[in-house]
Amino acid sequence: MDIARTPSNPDGNIEMADAAMQPHDPPEIRREDYRPFAWLVPETRIDFELGLDCTRVRSRLTVVRNAKADKSPTIRLNGDGITATSVKVDGEPTSAFTMDGDDLLLTLPGDAHEIAIETEIDPASNSQLMGLYASNGMLCTQCESEGFRRLTFFPDRPDVLSTYTVRMSGPKAQFPILLCNGNRVATGEKGEDHWAEWHDPWPKPSYLFALVAGDLVANTDSFTTMNGREVELNVWVREGDLERTQHAMDSLKRSMKWDEEAFGREYDLDLFNIVAVSDFNMGAMENKGLNVFNTKYVLADPDTATDGDFDAVEGVIGHEYFHNWSGNRITCRDWFQLSLKEGFTVLRDQLFSQDMGSAPVKRIEDVRILRSAQFPEDSGPLAHPIRPDSYREISNFYTATVYNKGAEVIRMMRTMAGEERFREGTDLYFDRHDGEAATCEDFVKSIEDGAGLDLTQFRLWYSQAGTPKVTVDLSHEGDEAVLKLGQTVPETPGQPLKQPMPIPLKLALFDRATGRHSGEQLVVLDKASAEYRFKGFAEKPVLSINRGFSAPVTVERSIPRDELVFLAARDDDPFARYEAMQDLMVGHLVAAVGGTLSDDERKGGSEDIAEAMRAILTDAKLDDLMRGELMTMPSQTYIAEQMDVSDPGRIHAEREALKAELGSRLSAEMHALYDRAEKIPFSLEAEAKGARKVKTLVLAYAAASDPAKAAELAAYQYERADNMTDRQGALMVLTGLDGVERTNKLLDFYNRYRGNALVVDKWFALQASSLHPDVVDHVKALAEHPDFTLRNPNRVRSLYMAFAANPHGFHAADGEGYRMIGDLILALDPINAQTAARFVPPLGRWRRIEPGRAAMMREQLERIAEAPKLSRDTFEQVTRSLG
Ligand code: ZN
């Protein structure tokens, strides 16, 4: 996303940005106010005369009255910062329209008409990256959610489905490649110009429209579908990037195959295009037949992309491809239903990645993301149900709650139904609603009918926000194990009282002596409390619960430390084993931070953790990918989540202290592990990926316990590295330390990769997320670096998102971190409101932070709220965060 086209006048696009600014108090849109649109738009024809600073858009819509809606003579065509240069109805120019804010209202006498509208737009000055914009000299669109209205006046809502025929023309030298949704049906040339006409046979909402024009080259391949249809596949990139597209292409083919096998879904056009753009607000976009991707999720080779990047490319390619059915063939009725497509598609991409690699490791990673991104949402001022009830700016609801918790909610249905019956449910859903704009209720009903589940009470997961707390108490009576479970759903903004929800919990009871259990069971806790009895236990068993993370809840139980040690060493459910290890560390750290540990307890606790870790380091049956998960310490955010109010400085200090202690106690085992892993040559196989993961983890522990030795080893790993994973891992560790190797290697890295924007992003991010004591000053200096720009979202995120997620920098005791993020939000808001608003939530956590820092965080939010012209995006996030 490099807006390489840096305008000479840095404020060159303020005019357009101003148009996007809203007066204070933008209206609240409510789910209960949904009404079907009064008109249908069976056909849309658009003609684009393309130019970087001026693109002319002529659209013709056939409109007919919607018999299923209330009759209205008026049709509302949404606009955003555009003016019509001509409006015609049935071929006749008319001035009989009115403007309502940015929208154009036309009164139509009959039941069927043709509306023709012309607009002119300036893509080069569009820094919001919504609508039509320029990126590196190419033109592309982003229409979800409400970007289409920045191109032309249109009923820009997802329940208006239309068939599009699009003609694009422009200078051939500047835009040799012209792409749109569907199939290319005609092309031609006229002087210096050329044109192409595209037709998409599938009716779609405007948010799925896309066009791309530019100087691009393709990696081309093909895929034969289950019914023998041959599909042409292209991954379009800029000339120099072609060598780094093979992994994306392979991932695409694997996705297509997997969706046929796992969900019975076949691709439905003869062509599938992916285009990589360097300026993009999000990860990627599922436009019908023409997916537009952030370069970050397309380009990968071993020299420039880490193992994590490779996995992310595969996951996002899958995600966008899977949207073709869950999102495009069946779309959302309104934006409150966003989780209908996003929650389901995230689940689909998670299952795909599980099948392509290590399923347990993928599951653990997904839980880690949920806990670090979604749990804080659920416990803070921005908490909302996966199907929200109201919004001011829908862009603010592309959240971990809608996406990741949405996926967990559907995963629970799958767990309760079992894989096969769940598949019957999804088959029914695809069958029943194909071609429609559907609701979350439609989805749940289809699963209910198809899988044969009663989901009456389960629907509460769609309407209640907040992460449920499950309390667990296991006792022993005679030969019975007695399990008492309770649940509470915490209060969230606007939802003081909650009802109990069905919570599917997978559990197993281990016999202490044999270390075995007699089978996993599923209990569904659907009341505030319940008791379960299990016969045949002469001794009290050890309980393993929420195995596989079967429900997105927090589990509260007082479990003896020796039972956690037992589970960490022998639980046969990999997630539960990971969880036991996390619980051991979290329990210890929370007590340490709270100051409730006696010296003896502190010593006993860290000894137990070290012993459990030693077992993990030396367990020959573990693969290194899984070992890496088990070695990973709980994140600072996750530890903070366990406390009502926390002191980030203390958490950081205790966490580093435990890391140092483990590093020194287990130094021998860790170095032995390193030496073994180091011998495994580079490949993208699981074994080699695992080896790289544990190597860098060993370096990170060493950095805490023996910085001098760690620096030496990291410098050595950096120099020997024949891949980005090893090199970045080593540099990450060095960046947190002081000394000459830090300076040398950071310089080397920059010089080596200065031409590669995605790797330069890593260079910024490593420094912004480092454990170095001077991180605040480093970030300030980097903001002045010639390669830094507020116009490229990837670059902004690489510096400032990394910083905002670095507790040690963001929560600097003097409040400087908060001030920097406050300044950033104010500076970025006029340029890119969507991206600016994403920096508000970290400041919004003030209620959960100790009073001194909380006051400084609030102060920044208040300063932003008082700014004279705020975007709707930032306004909404700031006011909700102040509460
Ligand atoms: Zn999606």
Side-chain angles (χ1 to χ4, degrees), residues 284 286 319-320 323 341-342 345-346 403:
E286 70 263 24
H319 179 97
E320 305 310 330
H323 268 315
K341 74 176 176 83
E342 295 304 346
T345 305
V346 169
Y403 274 65

Side-chain angles (χ1 to χ4, degrees), residues 514-557:
T514 64
R516 279 200 282 270
H517 63 83
S518 57
E520 188 176 82
Q521 327 205 14
L522 178 70
V523 303
V524 180
L525 171 67
D526 56 5
K527 297 186 198 64
S529 63
E531 193 183 284
Y532 307 82
R533 289 177 173 262
F534 305 91
K535 282 199 194 309
F537 291 95
E539 235 195 308
K540 186 180 165 188
V542 179
L543 171 68
S544 161
I545 194 163
N546 206 16
R547 291 158 69 85
F549 198 70
S550 56
V553 300
T554 55
V555 173
E556 279 182 8
R557 59 168 172 176

Side-chain angles (χ1 to χ4, degrees), residues 680-755:
I680 298 174
F682 178 83
S683 82
L684 289 169
E685 298 305 310
E687 189 196 17
K689 282 163 99 171
R692 291 190 285 278
K693 182 160 150 185
V694 296
K695 274 196 296 184
T696 293
L697 277 161
V698 169
L699 290 184
Y701 277 103
S705 58
D706 187 352
K709 175 134 192 232
E712 198 184 304
L713 195 53
Y716 164 83
Q717 174 170 315
Y718 181 95
E719 260 150 30
R720 280 187 35 128
D722 58 358
N723 63 85
M724 181 53 80
T725 308
D726 281 345
R727 182 163 284 134
Q728 176 183 273
L731 189 58
M732 185 255 301
V733 169
L734 284 173
T735 307
L737 299 171
D738 255 324
V740 59
E741 288 297 8
R742 176 183 201 277
T743 319
N744 287 348
K745 297 297 186 279
L746 276 170
L747 192 64
D748 176 83
F749 190 86
Y750 179 77
N751 288 332
R752 207 183 267 259
Y753 297 110
R754 60 189 311 165

